[in-house]
Structures are given as structure tokens and as C-alpha cells.
Amino acid sequence: MEFAEHIKTANVEDVVLRQPLQPPSRGTLCITGHHLLFSDREESDSRQVLLLLRNIDAIEKRMSGSSGTITMKCKDLRVLQLDIPGMEQCLNIAHSIETLSCLDCVSAMYPFFYRPVDLSLPEQWGLSSPEMHYSQMKELYEKWRLSTVNRDYSVCPSYPPAVIVPKSIDDDTLKKAAKFRQGGRFPVLCYYHKKNGMVIMRSSQPLLGANRKRCKEDELLLQAVIEGSDKGYIIDTRSMQQAQQARMTGGGFESKSFYDRWKRFHRQMERGKALQESLIKLVEACGDESNNMDRWLSKLENSKWLSHVQNALSTAGLLVECVERDGHSVLVHGSEGTDCSLLISTLAQLIMDPCCRTMEGFLGLLEREWIQARHPFQQRCAHSAYSHARLQQESPVFLLLLDCVWQLWRQFPLALGFSEALLLRLATEVYASDYGTFLCNSDQERCALEVKERTHCLFRALLRPTERDYYSNPLYERTELAIWPSVHPQSLQLWKGYFLRWTQQVRHLEEAQEEIRNMVIEWGKLARS
Amino acid sequence: SFRTIIPTRKESLKMELLSDVSLLPGEERITDKDIIYICPFSGAVKGKVLITNFRLYFKSSDADVTVTLDVPLGAISRVEKMGGASSRGENSYGLDITCKDMRNLRFALKQEGHSRRDIFEVLFRYAFPLSHGLPLFAYLSQEKYAETGWTIYKPVEEFRRQGLPNNKWRISFINKSYDLCDTYPTVLAVPYKSKEEDLRKVAAFRSRGRIPVLSWIHRENQAVIARCSQPLVGMSGKRNKDDERYLELIREANDTTKLTIYDARPNVNAVANKATGGGYEGDEYQNAELIFLDIQNIHVMRESQKKLKDIVYPNVEESHWLSSLESTHWLEHVKLVLSGAIQVADKVSSGNSVVVHCSDGWDRTAQLTSLAMLMLDSHYRTLRGFQVLIEKEWISFGHKFASRIGHGDKNHADQDRSPIFVQFIDCVWQMTKQFPTAFEFNEHLLLTILDHLYSCRFGTFLYNCESVRDQHEVRSKTVSLWSLVNSKVDMYLNPFYTPESGRVLYPVASMRHLELWVAYYIRWNPRIRQQQQSPVEQRYKELLALRDEYLKKLEQLQLSDSSTSSHLANSPTPNTTSSSTSTPSQQYTHLQTPL
């Protein structure tokens, strides 16, 4: 294995590990190609810490005399410290961690090596596929069809091979419409509202450019979506000004004159770098241990994280209002249609559709919207809040989604079939995982690397009986109603379970939650017996 | 006949509008009137208002907006006329009502014929009965309950529960006619070695005679929480040998090497108090250390709450919510009170006795002792134990409820008013949030307590101290709030409560872990209100029933168990360990979380 060349020192004795919520312990440190393993020397009650190197976001090393200290800041926001005897050993370990924690080669990543004894590689990777999804939705058959125009990823490299489109639109039209949309992401169906037959469509921005090109096929496609109704809505996740500026670089928005039955809303949503910087500020504030009157609330406000949460939830609320209340179909896009569009379409489905609120439903939703419809996880989650590396494509959009879902869970403690623990698990897995689910940037890349054949699928693992029990919400009661969140800043809270996760208090609350879950399950069992 | 029919119809419509008000026994209608409620959330709403000797009730008559207001007159702090007979503009003539519970009400009337005069007068009279020589509603109420709340707290019984008297502490009745201290209760626990004349001498050196007395004793290590007022040191730095000796007795009672005196005030305020004859314990108190807890006075707390109200009512601050919240300092004050109580609890649980005081020892002191006791003693975390805690540390020890709340008093600008008790309940709420399984009662109890802090429907929070309460025969002439609570216990229980008797709760008093109590401070705003509240309440009720059923079955199981194995026979409750491997009983024992 080529990992060996990065490991000059594989074992060190007499290392002291300091980690949150635990007393320091002394023991042996081991570095492998993917892991850092620490085992202490206590005879009784011996403890091991196994950490994916991928989880380490940044390290700091400090030398003093003949020993050194390595501080490791993890993507799950944990901060660990190693006191290592011997300068050379310490430098070697630090070098290994630095290199191995951010290897670019996907096929060398741990999911390709993860082979638990109790699990064989699945015959079916993932929970569903666009084909299965379509075949289960009989309501769609009359007006919608499954197109395999993208079967070889040539029309849109970031779409799955099969997508749902209006029946009246043929593949040739789709091909032409795709040329008019950034990255080929032509409008496809992502949600069908059974109550009134309205739909949510997703796409990227139209490529109008400075000289306002138009595309008949794209217009036809959208026209077909609202056939039989008087109008549709477009929610553009950029401000009007941003959308106009996008024309200078070849993009743009659907103009009134060519799409006269579509009404456009602009809702500026932060993305990319701004979102990443917000996360960095927030995590910095959360980690500030100074105990004086530290103006915590101002720092929290300045990080703007909660206003991003608010913005995402209220834009999703707008989308739900259009579909559920006004009874109109909606097209959602920003520029690329791979970040904010996914965020708000996911939230809207969760708010409207009780089927998305069970654990299977929720994971299925994530699979459709984020894995199949392609959120570039590898780029977005390469680093988290601690990294000093220059920011490239990193952006915590998925984390923002989980935070928004947590806010829903807090406001509607009975409505979701899963618990906070599931959201925490996903928030950890998305940055560093044993599973292949969040690898790569698209379905096409996953196929090229045989991710589906050579790795385990997280979503399937989470639905095994023991795991499913663990992540279920004991208070869950299905409601058919939409769960409209309150988006006032007074109604939103910092997600302490995640951002203050490694504090005693939050750990205690986590335990209390588990205690409550066990209690309720136990009562139910005995009452039924 | 046409003429007569229309008014009758109108009349019957009006009657219907107010027909669903169910009045309390003893409650009487005073007047009703057509009025416009200027709702800050739905705009001007036409309807009818009913004033009784207890409440203001409003119901909208518009078919499309249903607005109902049901406000106890006790919650009103100020009634003002808005606009004059010649004011222009729609709805500019009417009444402006400021409430004590974080809301304001505004009503508009027709300008013709001085239409607001009677309603203003009626409101003014019945909202502030004491200013008009009228009795508070608690004295008119004819409510009957299955339970009598007045017996929930019996001082001697509570001392006995704590293991008192013992060979170090005795129960003294020196204050039985309130002549040692007119703001203290009649039953006091004092060091065994102190003589009655010592107590009198100490009383002379403590502000208002509030001598150090025991509030709570730790069963194992015998460390105590004692409370008092400031010593009367004054500018000249007076000393009092008896006071010094008395504190020594408290220290010696459990061989504490150093007695810790917690002065709740900021250092500078304690110094400033010398100018008015007060002060703090100096070096002459050997074997004692003095720690200032930096908690601000009643005026600062009142202003802080006022600022908080400004950003949540009628409109919530939107764009800079967190920094606005920060600038009210409300959470910072909550933090300081909590962290003071944590220090007290920690000191006591590590075996050292403490004395807590502020200036008079009835505001900050009550907050600190009662919160520390709540952390130390799980009994106070039960539904009834919490009632005892409030009766004991707040009501019997003379927190000046009448002055701080201003029951029935028109003087809204009284500088004595302050939300000290609200702040205490807020601290309790913070603790319940941090320890969701440690309290037997739920948020609804805390809200109910705060509602009746103002309502004047019950005698519980009336008057400043026991001696005045006796004069006004509160116990015989009014109903206790605990009668209401204990008659329908289900409403106030936390289904997830897990009793853990030995556990000390240390909440985290860092700003990061404190939250604004939105369900109380912003509850009048329908847009902020927790959504779908009723299904949650319903679900919790079901869970309570399920839990009861579970406990019943568990008991049966254990009974049948104990018939075969005798060692279980002396386990009194289901929460002691059972030898069977069934998880239910483990559930209660494995929860001990190390802190």
C-alpha cells in the first residue's frame, strides 16, 4: 500500500491523550493508513479511541524540549490533544496525520476498505433508485414519465441516469433544454403533492447571457409542467440583482416575456464561502472558553449562522405556501442548482409530506435530493470549521439542512419519526465516514469508482433494526398536517447538541434524551404485555 | 313593533357573545360594553368587554377574527386614558392598559358621550381595589377544592424531614409573636448552643432583626445554609461580639474550619450600604471568609425586565434579536443568580456551612438559598416539595410580594416593584431545561405560579410577611394556590420524571447554555407561540397514564417476586434495585450521572 510511505512512525508508547469530558490517559498510539488508534494501559477498564484520520480538520504541533504536543481539531468539532515523547516521533506522527487526513484520492479512502464481519456488501446500494421511485408513484403515470435521456450521463453529468419529466416532452426537447441550463441541469420533477397534484421542479439557472438568448424547448418544458393550470411560480435563490449580474457570465433568469405564465420570486440565500465563513465564526465563538462577560449573544449573532437557518426555513416556507396553500407548481433554482435549491426543496418536502418524516422517508428524501440529484459532497465537505487550508469549494450546506431539520424537530417534537441523534450521526458521517454514501461529487463519479459495488451504504446501515431503534423518536405520532415552522429569531435556537456537543452539559442532555427514549419504549412494552 | 325587535336581537347577540364566560364562584359582573380591541397582531377588532370584580374579558364580534382576552384584573399595573374627546384619527380615543405579565392592552371607544368614563372608572377601581378601600378578590372568592393547600408547608414537619432538631440545632419559638423580627416566620432553627437572649442581641445588629437562621441542613455532612440580613456595621465600622460569637456557633455546629459568608451584592454596593448603617462582615469575624456574588439590586432587575419587554411586546425585535437580548442583560442576571446558587450548593455539599445575605435578606438571599436547596435536595424537585420550598424560603421568610408585585395598588411607578420572584422561577425553568428528568413538575406549573403571582385569586402570594398575613387572616379567609394545583395534579406532572434522591444538580450557568424563556416572556405573540401545543400536551398526558400503568405492573411484578425471594420485601418503592434482569428497574438506577 502506498500509505506506508506516509507513515514513518507507526507506534509510539507512553503517549498522553487529552479529550473532552474524559480524564487524560496514558497509552500507546498507532497510526494506520486511515486511523489513529489510541489504547490506554489501564488493566481494568481499558479504553480505546479509534479516530478516522479523515475526521481531522486541522492540527497544531508544539515542541518543547524532547517532546511535543499535537492538537487535533476534528470535523465533528472535537478537540483532542496528544503529548508525544521524542521530537522525531512527534514530527513523524504529525506529518502522517497531516498527509493522510486529506488525501485527495477517493478510491484510497476508508469506505473502500471498510469490511465489517457482520455485513456483506449489499446487492442493492442505496434505498431506492429513480426508477423504483417512479414506479411506486402511480399518481405520476398520467402526466409524467421516466426519461432515460441521461442514461450515459451525457446530457447532464450531475443528474442520475433516469429523471422524471412531463409526459408530453420528448427526449430531444430535453436535450435541447439541457443545453440552455447550467451544467445541463434541465427542470426535473422532485416532488409531487398528492393533495392537489402540484409539483416541485428543480433545475439550474437558464443560460440567457448578456444578449438574452431564449430556448423554445426550455419554455415548452416549463409550459408542460403547468398545463391545465393558470400559472406557476419560480423561486430563485438569488437576489434580483445577483440574478441580473449572472447574465454577464452567461447565466440569468426566466424573463417575464418568454415565460409569461411563471411568476418569479427572488430570495437571496447565502451559499459558498459566506456560509463556510459563518460556520467558522460560529465554531470559534462556541469554542471560546473565556469565562468573563464574553458577549456570547453578540458573537452568535455576528456569525450569522442562525440567520442562514432562518432564511433557509422561511424560503422553504414560501415554497410550501406556493404548493400547499396557493395550489401552484414551483420551479426552484439558484445558479448551479446543487446547493440552496436542494436545501429548500428538501425542507419543503419535510414540512408538507408526512411520508418524508418517518426515518425511511427522511433517508429516502436525502438520497433523492442530495445523493442522486447530486450535491457535490466531496468538494463541500472537504474541510470543516477548523481548517487553515485556503477555502476552495467548501460550504456547509448539508450541515445547514440538518440544523434546519433540528429546528423543525424542536418545534414539532411529535412530528418526526427520528431523533436528534440521527441528525448528529449524519452531521458526523458527512465529513468522515466508514460508508461510501457521501463520497464523490456525483452519481457519475460514483459509478466510475464503483462506489456502489465496493462500499457499504450508510442509509441502509441506519435502517437495520438495532440502529433504527436507536435513532427513532419515541414521541413520534404521524400527523397529516403540514408542519409550518415559526421562523422568527425568537423561535430559533442554536443547535447546542451539535455545536456544543463536547461539553458536559450537552453530553448530559444527550443522556437524558436517551433515558427518556428507553423509558417510553419500556412503558409501551409492559403496557402491551 | 319593528323598532323593538331590532334592539332585542342585538341584545341577544351581545348576550351570546359573553355567554361562554364561566365566572368563578364569588365573581360578579360589574359592567359590559361594546368596544374595539386594538390587537397588535390582528389589528382593530370589534367586540364586547366584560369587567367583573376579578377579570377583564373581551370577545370579538367579527365573524372572521376570533380574539378572546381573559385577563385577571390583578395583572394590570396601569390604566390610562388615550386621546381626548377631540382627538382625530381612527381609534384614537380609548384606554391604554399596562400589564405586569409582559403585555399591554389597548381599547378604543366611540368618542360621543364620554363613553369611556364609566369603564375607566370601573377598571381603575377594581384593578386597584386596595387603593379604593375594596378587598382583594382572594377575599371574595368562594372557590372550593378537594385539597387544602394551606397545609402543604408545616415548618416543624419540614425541619423534622431534614433531621432537626438534633444535638447541634434547636427549634426556637422566640419569634412566636413576631417581636424578635416582624418579617420572619414564627418557627426558627438556630444553633443549639445559642440562648434566647443571644438571639435578641444578634437581632439588634442585623438589619430589621433578620438574624442568621438555618434554612437547610445536609443530612450526611451536617453543613447548613443559614440566611440573614446585612450586619449593621455603618460608617464607623461597628462590631458586635454577640453576632461574631453567633456565627462561630454556626461554624462549630459541624466543625467547618472556615464559615463562608456569601454576600449576594456586588462589592461596591455592600460598601455603599455602610453609609445607611449597613455593611458586611469584616476581618473581625475570625474563621469566616466573605465572598461577594455580584448580583444587582431590585432596581437593576426591574429596568432589565422593562428592556426585555420592549423587545418582545408588542413587536418582537427581528433584525438584531440576539444583540438586543444581550443588551437587556436579563440572561446575564439569571446567570449570576444561578452561578451564585451553584457556589452555595457546592460549598455545602463539600461539607462547609454557609451564611447567605444581601441587604435585607428577602430578595437575592431568597433566590440563592432556594435555588441552592433545589440543587441539593431532590425533595424540593417534586411537585409538593417545590410548593414547600416556595412557602418556606419566599413566603414565610418575608419576600415582600405585596411591595414587589403591587397587588391591588394603583401606584404603578412604585420603586419597590421588581421581578425578583419571576427571575427565580426563570432560574428554575433553566434548570428544568438542563435536567429534563430531574423535576416532577412541568413548565405548566411554573407558568401557573407566575400567573397567580399577579392574579389575586389566591391568598398565597399576598402581603409582605407572615405577621401581616396573620393580621389579614389570609389562611382562613382566602384559598391557597396549592389547593388548585394539588386538586388536578396531572396537569402539572412531567412524565419523564425519574426520582434520584441523592443527586446534587449543578446546572451550567454559562451564557451559552442559558435560553430566553420564550414560552413565558413572548407567550402573547401568536406568531412565536410553540406550534401545535395541544397535541404535545395530549401526548404527554397519554405518557403519564402509560407510566402509571407501567409502575402499577412493575409493582405487581415485584410483589410476586418478593413472595418468592424475601430480600426484596423491604424495598419500599419501585426505584430500588431488583435482582431480576428486567430493564425497567435498571432504568431508575443506572441514571446516576457523574458530574
Side-chain angles (χ1 to χ4, degrees), chain A residues 239-522:
Chain A
S239 68
M240 183 66 197
Q241 200 190 2
Q242 286 173 326
Q244 269 166 344
Q245 276 169 358
R247 286 219 320 268
M248 299 304 128
T249 50
F253 52 90
E254 296 81 357
S255 66
K256 196 76 208 152
S257 38
F258 305 141
Y259 300 84
D260 61 335
R261 284 169 64 195
W262 289 85
K263 183 173 164 44
R264 234 177 333 105
F265 296 107
H266 289 273
R267 285 288 181 280
Q268 185 184 351
M269 293 181 69
E270 221 51 85
R271 64 199 83 211
K273 217 174 193 172
L275 205 55
Q276 181 72 18
E277 275 161 5
S278 166
L279 175 71
I280 291 171
K281 271 192 192 161
L282 175 62
V283 170
E284 197 177 281
C286 289
D288 186 356
E289 294 291 337
S290 58
N291 253 341
N292 50 359
M293 296 297 167
D294 50 1
R295 302 187 36 86
W296 157 248
L297 291 173
S298 294
K299 283 184 191 165
L300 184 55
E301 182 173 291
N302 287 339
S303 80
K304 295 210 175 80
W305 182 261
L306 281 172
S307 52
H308 299 321
V309 169
Q310 179 189 27
N311 199 358
L313 280 170
S314 68
T315 310
L318 173 71
L319 174 52
V320 177
E321 225 171 294
C322 295
V323 176
E324 155 112 8
R325 220 172 255 175
D326 287 7
H328 289 289
S329 290
V330 184
L331 168 69
V332 183
H333 70 72
S335 22
E336 293 172 294
T338 55
D339 295 288
C340 292
S341 313
L342 308 182
L343 176 61
I344 70 164
S345 82
T346 306
L347 287 172
Q349 293 178 54
L350 211 51
I351 293 169
M352 271 189 288
D353 185 359
C355 299
C356 295
R357 301 186 207 130
T358 63
M359 194 158 146
E360 288 98 326
F362 178 59
L363 294 177
L365 175 67
L366 293 182
E367 186 177 71
R368 286 196 303 280
E369 294 294 290
W370 295 79
I371 307 294
Q372 291 166 5
R374 191 258 192 190
H375 175 65
F377 281 104
Q378 203 187 322
Q379 291 173 348
R380 298 291 182 259
C381 301
H383 284 290
S384 176
Y386 290 122
S387 171
H388 307 298
R390 203 168 60 85
L391 288 183
Q392 289 168 341
Q393 303 269 0
E394 289 85 356
S395 185
V397 189
F398 189 71
L399 188 61
L400 184 60
L401 168 81
L402 296 175
D403 194 331
C404 292
V405 178
W406 179 80
Q407 307 283 349
L408 282 173
W409 175 81
R410 206 184 70 89
Q411 291 189 23
F412 300 91
L414 313 181
L416 303 180
F418 48 89
S419 67
E420 179 178 13
L422 180 72
L423 302 174
L424 289 170
R425 173 83 188 263
L426 291 170
T428 308
E429 298 279 348
V430 74
Y431 283 102
S433 179
D434 294 345
Y435 299 90
T437 301
F438 296 119
L439 290 180
C440 304
N441 287 315
S442 69
D443 206 49
Q444 187 183 19
E445 283 180 33
R446 270 188 288 273
C447 282
L449 292 169
E450 299 178 313
V451 167
K452 296 178 188 186
E453 288 77 34
R454 295 171 51 206
T455 76
H456 288 282
C457 166
L458 173 67
F459 295 160
R460 291 188 77 87
L462 290 174
L463 288 174
R464 285 180 299 181
T466 49
E467 305 260 328
R468 183 206 297 257
D469 267 3
Y470 182 76
Y471 293 115
S472 67
N473 173 8
L475 302 181
Y476 174 60
E477 258 180 358
R478 184 182 165 112
T479 169
E480 297 303 315
L481 300 172
I483 48 171
W484 294 92
S486 164
V487 297
H488 291 269
Q490 291 77 9
S491 308
L492 303 175
Q493 287 283 335
L494 175 70
W495 185 13
K496 292 189 193 131
Y498 183 74
F499 292 106
L500 299 173
R501 190 173 185 182
W502 305 103
T503 62
Q504 188 64 62
Q505 190 46 39
V506 168
R507 173 53 53 90
H508 171 79
L509 272 177
E510 245 175 79
E511 283 162 1
Q513 288 301 337
E514 203 181 321
E515 199 179 306
I516 288 172
R517 199 177 56 86
N518 290 336
M519 242 185 257
V520 175
I521 290 171
E522 208 58 54

Side-chain angles (χ1 to χ4, degrees), chain B residues 228-248:
Chain B
C228 59
S229 60
Q230 63 183 337
L232 297 174
V233 174
M235 292 297 269
S236 57
K238 277 199 291 281
R239 288 181 61 168
N240 183 306
K241 290 278 183 201
D242 297 298
D243 193 69
E244 290 165 29
R245 170 78 197 129
Y246 184 77
L247 290 195
E248 269 293 290

Side-chain angles (χ1 to χ4, degrees), chain B residues 31-92:
Chain B
T31 185
D32 56 37
K33 201 174 189 66
D34 289 320
I35 208 162
I36 297 165
Y37 168 48
I38 317 289
C39 176
F41 313 109
S42 0
V45 188
K46 275 190 197 140
K48 205 163 163 75
V49 70
L50 165 71
I51 313 280
T52 72
N53 53 358
F54 171 70
R55 81 184 81 203
L56 178 159
Y57 184 90
F58 170 86
K59 182 110 194 238
S60 57
S61 54
D62 300 8
D64 47 338
V65 256
T66 358
V67 176
T68 313
L69 285 175
D70 192 352
V71 186
L73 296 180
I76 294 176
S77 86
R78 182 180 195 181
V79 184
E80 279 177 301
K81 292 174 179 166
M82 157 185 93
S86 57
S87 309
R88 282 150 193 277
E90 208 185 346
N91 300 330
S92 60

Side-chain angles (χ1 to χ4, degrees), chain A residues 13-29:
Chain A
E13 296 287 336
D14 220 22
V15 171
V16 176
L17 171 72
R18 296 168 209 279
Q19 52 179 334
L21 309 174
Q22 308 258 345
S25 50
R26 191 177 288 275
T28 309
L29 178 74

